[in-house]
């Protein structure tokens, strides 16, 4: 209920919901209150002594148009999603220049915000490592799904570890 005022408001005035075992409202990164909440939360984590923070789904979640009249952006502004996150991470990078930020999957538009991408789904056959080839000097690739819900094929473990090694990814995220 506290975050409801920072949630994305759809054209039909409803709040988009995502399901991950439970229901979660999609938050608008351009909402000033949500920006403050994320900056304050990240600051608390840093003050606990951590060197890095994982920001789930920032670089994997698709932008959703927001029609809120209270978030400080124009209705359905296609730029407010990335601009909102850029404001958050500019503040955090200036406040804590040595704090590392990691997010799920990858998105070129968030390269200046993130230091790492948990690319856990890069496990498809015949995948071309183009993104890693271009950006491996700028960002660390920090994970690959070896087994998710249940143990996988034992031989796939070696293939995935070899792909991580060859593609310049951090080895690991073994279940």
């Amino acid at each position: 209920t506290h975050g409801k005022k920072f949630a994305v408001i759809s054209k039909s005035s409803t709040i988009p919901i995502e399901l991950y075992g439970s229901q979660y409202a999609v938050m608008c990164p351009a909402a000033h209150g949500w920006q403050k909440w994320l900056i304050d939360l990240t600051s608390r984590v840093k003050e606990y002594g951590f060197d890095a923070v994982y920001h789930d789904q920032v670089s994997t979640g698709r932008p959703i148009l927001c029609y809120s009249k209270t978030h400080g952006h124009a209705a359905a502004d296609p730029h407010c999603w990335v601009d909102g996150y850029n404001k958050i991470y500019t503040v955090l990078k200036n406040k804590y220049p040595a704090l590392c930020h990691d997010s799920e999957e990858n998105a070129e538009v968030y390269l200046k915000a993130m230091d790492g991408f948990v690319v856990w789904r890069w496990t498809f056959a015949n995948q071309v490592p183009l993104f890693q080839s271009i950006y491996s000097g700028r960002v660390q690739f920090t994970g690959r799904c070896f087994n998710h819900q249940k143990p996988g094929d034992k031989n796939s473990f070696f293939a995935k570890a070899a792909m991580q090694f060859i593609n310049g990814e951090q080895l690991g995220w073994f279940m």
Side-chain angles (χ1 to χ4, degrees):
T1 58
H2 174 70
K4 186 175 182 179
K5 59 189 165 205
F6 310 134
V8 168
I9 303 299
S10 70
K11 191 173 187 175
S12 62
S13 299
T14 60
I15 296 174
I17 300 294
E18 294 187 353
L19 300 172
Y20 301 100
S22 296
Q23 294 184 356
Y24 296 93
V26 177
M27 306 308 281
C28 178
H32 298 296
W34 183 243
Q35 291 174 359
K36 181 182 179 332
W37 194 90
L38 284 176
I39 291 166
D40 290 348
L41 176 63
T42 303
S43 296
R44 281 198 318 270
V45 171
K46 171 62 179 154
E47 289 163 10
Y48 293 147
F50 290 95
D51 297 322
V53 177
Y54 176 71
H55 306 273
D56 195 31
Q57 295 207 4
V58 169
S59 57
T60 195
R62 65 179 175 83
I64 299 174
L65 294 178
C66 180
Y67 291 81
S68 173
K69 295 178 175 127
T70 64
H71 291 174
H73 61 75
D77 179 0
H79 299 283
C80 77
W81 195 271
V82 173
D83 291 348
Y85 279 126
N86 282 337
K87 286 179 185 175
I88 293 165
Y89 293 105
T90 297
V91 168
L92 290 171
K93 294 274 187 180
N94 288 335
K95 190 172 182 180
Y96 306 110
L99 182 66
C100 293
H101 302 276
D102 200 5
S103 186
E104 183 178 356
E105 299 304 349
N106 66 296
E108 187 176 38
V109 71
Y110 297 114
L111 277 167
K112 72 179 185 179
M114 298 298 161
D115 302 291
F117 289 133
V118 177
V119 292
W120 70 281
R121 288 183 281 209
W122 285 5
T123 58
F124 305 108
N126 303 314
Q127 183 170 349
V128 175
L130 186 60
F131 197 90
Q132 300 100 306
S133 299
I134 294 171
Y135 297 115
S136 64
R138 167 54 192 92
V139 68
Q140 178 68 53
F141 302 103
T142 57
R144 183 179 284 262
C145 186
F146 281 75
N147 301 312
H148 192 249
Q149 304 294 339
K150 57 185 178 181
D153 181 345
K154 187 176 178 180
N155 290 328
S156 75
F157 173 90
F158 299 105
K160 291 173 185 176
M163 288 171 63
Q164 283 187 302
F165 184 72
I166 291 168
N167 295 338
E169 299 172 30
Q170 179 180 323
L171 300 179
W173 200 28
F174 312 129
M175 305 295 184

